[in-house]
Amino acid sequence: MEYSKACCKPVLKWAGGKRQLIPYIMRYVPERFKTYYEPFLGGAAVLIHLYSKGRISKAVVSDVNRDLYMLYKEIKERPIELISVMRSLNFQNKREDYYRARDLFNETSDYKLRSALLIYLNKHGYNGLYRLNSLGLFNVPFGRHRNTSFPSDQDILSLSNMLSSCTILNEDFEKAVAGAESGDFVYFDPPYVPLSKTSNFTSYTESGFTHKDQVRLKDVFIELSNRGVFVMETNSDTENVRDLYKAFEIIGVPARRNINSNASRRNGATELIIRNY
């Protein structure tokens, strides 16, 4: 069944985002499914694309990153207020402004302000990273971008309209998909298994995402499969990932790694799409 959906687009440039892989992901999405689940929401590129194509009528989405969760809650429930706070920020594309905004973000507990600041920091920080130090403080450096822009009012309102059909959670991935039933579709996009010991450069949350979490994710993948749920996952192309999911279909696709500090190493990478159907 097709649904008429207003066009919207991601409001964040999220490290590890899936915009470049969407043509491949769409090629392997189930033809028909009921509720859509995405427990590592990130920049929401896949959710938005599926929605814009009329593929989603109901979704349950989640992210363990509380700042990201609160941003989407603000966009869904109070978009006009968020727009007002965004427009009141007096920070330009300058190094000193960025660090003042970062300090304010780390000090305030006002989630409208934090959400507006998160958008500013994301647009002006290094490569769209979200990184916390050992004290749980956001510490991404200034990005020195030549051109930056905030989402338009219409971008926020369109995304708010889309999110009105979504249940938004701030849960661990296992809890976020606990309600998935036969015929539903779960898309996992976890923090990737690092390609080397030095490539695991960022802590997405204070606790990080460990090898034990990757194994637990594989176990949830199997459990959902046994319940008749369509499951797809994207992850890095490593021997470890291939071994974890050897019982399922594994498809290698070309990808560009924009988060490598060495530009010459961003091309030629392969990522994996794993599915149980």
Side-chain angles (χ1 to χ4, degrees), residues 126-127 199 201 257-266:
Y126 180 75
N127 268 354
S199 63
F201 63 93
R257 296 186 177 277
N258 293 320
I259 54 179
N260 196 308
S261 59
N262 186 335
S264 67
R265 297 177 182 173
R266 294 176 185 170

Side-chain angles (χ1 to χ4, degrees), residues 63-86:
D63 206 287
V64 73
N65 182 318
R66 185 156 183 83
D67 286 315
L68 197 56
Y69 161 75
M70 290 304 301
L71 170 61
Y72 289 130
K73 288 281 283 184
E74 291 294 330
I75 292 173
K76 176 182 178 178
E77 298 174 2
R78 292 171 287 274
I80 301 299
E81 291 91 333
L82 177 61
I83 289 169
S84 177
V85 176
M86 284 172 52

Side-chain angles (χ1 to χ4, degrees), residues 47-235:
L47 171 71
I48 289 170
H49 191 81
L50 286 169
Y51 179 90
S52 69
K53 296 299 182 182
R55 301 296 305 277
I56 295 175
S57 59
K58 180 181 179 183
V60 178
V61 299
S62 181
D63 206 287
V64 73
N65 182 318
R66 185 156 183 83
D67 286 315
L68 197 56
Y69 161 75
M70 290 304 301
L71 170 61
Y72 289 130
K73 288 281 283 184
E74 291 294 330
I75 292 173
K76 176 182 178 178
E77 298 174 2
R78 292 171 287 274
I80 301 299
E81 291 91 333
L82 177 61
I83 289 169
S84 177
V85 176
M86 284 172 52
R87 301 309 167 205
S88 71
L89 294 180
N90 190 26
F91 299 117
Q92 305 299 317
N93 186 25
K94 299 178 181 178
R95 179 184 179 88
E96 57 271 23
D97 281 0
Y98 178 84
Y99 288 110
R100 285 197 300 117
R102 194 178 77 172
D103 288 344
L104 181 57
F105 179 82
N106 285 325
E107 292 167 2
T108 186
S109 59
D110 181 331
Y111 265 100
K112 280 192 184 63
L113 179 56
R114 283 182 72 86
S115 293
L117 286 167
L118 178 59
I119 294 174
Y120 168 84
L121 294 171
N122 175 262
K123 298 296 185 181
H124 297 81
Y126 180 75
N127 268 354
L129 293 181
Y130 180 101
R131 185 181 64 193
L132 303 177
N133 63 19
S134 60
L135 299 177
L137 299 176
F138 183 86
N139 69 347
V140 175
F142 180 54
R144 294 183 294 182
H145 302 291
R146 287 185 179 181
N147 300 305
T148 61
S149 62
F150 260 29
S152 69
D153 294 0
Q154 189 56 51
D155 290 337
I156 297 295
L157 294 173
S158 295
L159 188 55
S160 178
N161 182 63
M162 185 204 77
L163 291 173
S164 67
S165 63
C166 300
T167 299
I168 306 175
L169 306 175
N170 179 217
E171 297 284 3
D172 173 82
F173 66 87
E174 188 170 359
K175 291 183 178 180
V177 301
E181 300 176 345
S182 179
D184 291 340
F185 174 38
V186 172
Y187 170 56
F188 288 125
D189 182 34
Y192 278 15
V193 171
L195 296 175
S196 68
K197 291 181 179 179
T198 59
S199 63
N200 194 17
F201 63 93
T202 183
S203 179
Y204 180 64
T205 66
E206 293 176 54
S207 58
F209 199 82
T210 67
H211 175 69
K212 287 184 178 179
D213 291 315
Q214 294 286 352
V215 173
R216 186 164 59 93
L217 177 60
K218 180 264 299 184
D219 291 340
V220 173
F221 193 109
I222 293 172
E223 179 188 346
L224 291 169
S225 299
N226 292 337
R227 300 211 304 257
V229 178
F230 299 114
V231 189
M232 175 189 286
E233 178 180 333
T234 43
N235 213 317

